[in-house]
Amino acid sequence: MAFEADDRFSDRQSPPIPAEFKGSPGSILHTLLALVLWLGSVHFNFVVVLLSFILLPLQKALGVIGLLLIFMVIPIDDRSKWGRKLSRYICKHAVGYFPVSLYVEDIKAFDPNEAYVFGYEPHSVWPIGVVALADLTGFMPLPKIKVLASTAVFYTPFMRHVWSWLGLSPATRNNFSSLLSSGCSCIIVPGGVQEAFYMEHGSEIAFIQKRKGFVRIAMQMGNPLVPVFCFGQSDVYKWWKPSWKLYRDFSRAIKFAPIIFWGVLGSPLPFRNPLHVVVGRPFVVNKNPQPTVEEVDEVHAQFVEALKDLFERHKARVGCADLKLRIL
């Protein structure tokens, strides 16, 4: 087989050792501040631009735009002590807001000296449940974890700073491989932002049938694959997207689905809905620098089955017994 359950770090005779973690509610003021810093950048930029053109002379408004452009390109120290301290503050209060719980099916199967490839679903409006896996949250026994995100994030003023400090990194092939080589575990959402195009109310969508690049890289680098699913994430925002054919064609052309979404009182503050992140057992992937299409297809198919099984095993436990998962 191309991969198998990773039991190199646990006794073969011992059953899996599950572990569960849950965020603790904190001060409402600190929690709101943390959420605004974490999720409010896009709305903040929009409001700044809008008010600049409404309230300021054109020359000064253009000056504000120029300042935002500078913030788009100035270098970021993602290991900044101040930035990491701020990110730890965000993680601490964010997991207590919903709250976020993390259920790891076999905590002893994870070796702190190993780098893993976490395949996380779904994307939803924002894949905010990944905060449960962040190194600064401290739930997972892994010292170095990065979340791979769309490169658009790293050209968005203020968001690029905060999210870089939180542990996000561009989802490019070279960066992915480089991080794994350095011993850093990577979390990737295979469906990506395009998955939003297929979102449905009342069911979950995983747009991964043709998303095989993360599997190929895991095989080339020889890093274990880990299926992850987040229940409740699709309900933290209300959302709407057009059903027009023009919208579908436009979304396909730009490989991104622009949707209208809102939270509490129409703000970017998400609704307080419990998030349940479940982590399956890691699967050892045999290192293969040049896997064939057939070999990648085999491992990918096994990963998809592992994700589906993970979903089915836990949906009743978290109160979603009737929820359906569609693999597209």
Side-chain angles (χ1 to χ4, degrees):
M1 290 181 65
F3 65 24
E4 56 187 15
D6 189 347
D7 50 19
R8 292 176 298 172
F9 314 114
S10 60
D11 186 348
R12 285 177 179 271
Q13 305 305 316
S14 301
I17 301 177
E20 188 165 11
F21 309 87
K22 187 175 182 179
S24 301
S27 159
I28 187 63
L29 181 61
H30 285 293
T31 300
L32 290 175
L33 177 59
L35 290 171
V36 168
L37 289 170
W38 181 28
L39 302 170
S41 302
V42 173
H43 293 76
F44 175 77
N45 288 326
F46 175 78
V47 170
V48 166
V49 172
L50 181 64
L51 292 181
S52 295
F53 282 101
I54 292 176
L55 302 177
L56 299 177
L58 179 59
Q59 187 175 1
K60 291 185 177 180
L62 293 176
V64 172
I65 302 300
L67 185 61
L68 291 177
L69 290 174
I70 292 173
F71 276 108
M72 289 174 60
V73 297
I74 58 174
I76 301 173
D77 177 8
D78 61 0
R79 303 305 301 178
S80 160
K81 290 184 179 180
W82 184 89
R84 295 291 279 178
K85 185 176 181 179
L86 176 64
S87 298
R88 190 174 287 108
Y89 171 87
I90 291 173
C91 289
K92 174 185 175 181
H93 292 285
V95 295
Y97 172 73
F98 299 97
V100 178
S101 64
L102 177 70
Y103 186 93
V104 185
E105 289 192 328
D106 190 0
I107 194 71
K108 293 297 183 181
F110 291 92
D111 180 2
N113 298 312
E114 177 71 272
Y116 299 84
V117 176
F118 292 85
Y120 177 102
E121 286 290 340
H123 186 282
S124 308
V125 172
W126 292 114
I128 56 181
V130 296
V131 68
L133 303 173
D135 54 357
L136 292 176
T137 300
F139 290 164
M140 291 296 294
L142 302 173
K144 296 193 295 182
I145 305 176
K146 288 286 188 179
V147 181
L148 301 183
S150 167
T151 51
V153 167
F154 303 96
Y155 290 98
T156 304
F158 308 114
M159 174 185 282
R160 63 191 293 263
H161 295 80
V162 174
W163 286 24
S164 292
W165 293 328
L166 281 166
L168 274 74
S169 192
T172 64
R173 181 180 298 275
N174 289 340
N175 189 46
F176 193 175
S177 299
S178 176
L179 288 170
L180 292 174
S181 296
S182 68
C184 186
S185 294
C186 293
I187 304 167
I188 187 166
V189 185
V193 292
Q194 195 175 358
E195 190 170 280
F197 173 79
Y198 301 97
M199 284 170 58
E200 296 177 349
H201 291 288
S203 67
E204 294 287 6
I205 300 294
F207 182 61
I208 58 174
Q209 204 68 271
K210 296 182 180 179
R211 298 300 180 98
K212 303 176 183 179
F214 74 105
V215 171
R216 178 178 294 276
I217 290 177
M219 294 175 70
Q220 290 172 337
M221 304 300 296
N223 294 97
L225 280 162
V226 185
V228 182
F229 195 89
C230 181
F231 293 92
Q233 182 179 267
S234 298
D235 299 319
V236 299
Y237 285 111
K238 301 292 184 182
W239 56 269
W240 175 84
K241 57 186 176 71
S243 57
W244 316 319
K245 183 178 183 300
L246 179 61
Y247 168 78
R248 293 197 298 270
D249 293 342
F250 177 70
S251 297
R252 287 195 181 99
I254 64 173
K255 296 184 178 181
F256 170 67
I259 62 175
I260 298 173
F261 69 94
W262 62 94
V264 178
L265 300 177
S267 74
L269 183 68
F271 293 104
R272 203 167 191 174
N273 186 71
L275 301 182
H276 301 275
V277 181
V278 293
V279 179
R281 296 196 72 200
F283 290 85
V284 173
V285 177
N286 297 326
K287 188 171 183 178
N288 184 350
Q290 294 183 318
T292 65
V293 172
E294 292 75 18
E295 289 170 334
V296 172
D297 287 346
E298 179 188 357
V299 176
H300 179 267
Q302 292 175 342
F303 177 84
V304 171
E305 283 304 311
L307 181 69
K308 289 164 63 177
D309 290 345
L310 182 71
F311 175 86
E312 295 297 333
R313 282 197 301 273
H314 291 278
K315 67 178 186 178
R317 181 182 64 83
V318 301
C320 303
D322 297 327
L323 189 63
K324 304 297 182 183
L325 172 64
R326 292 180 58 207
I327 304 293
L328 301 178

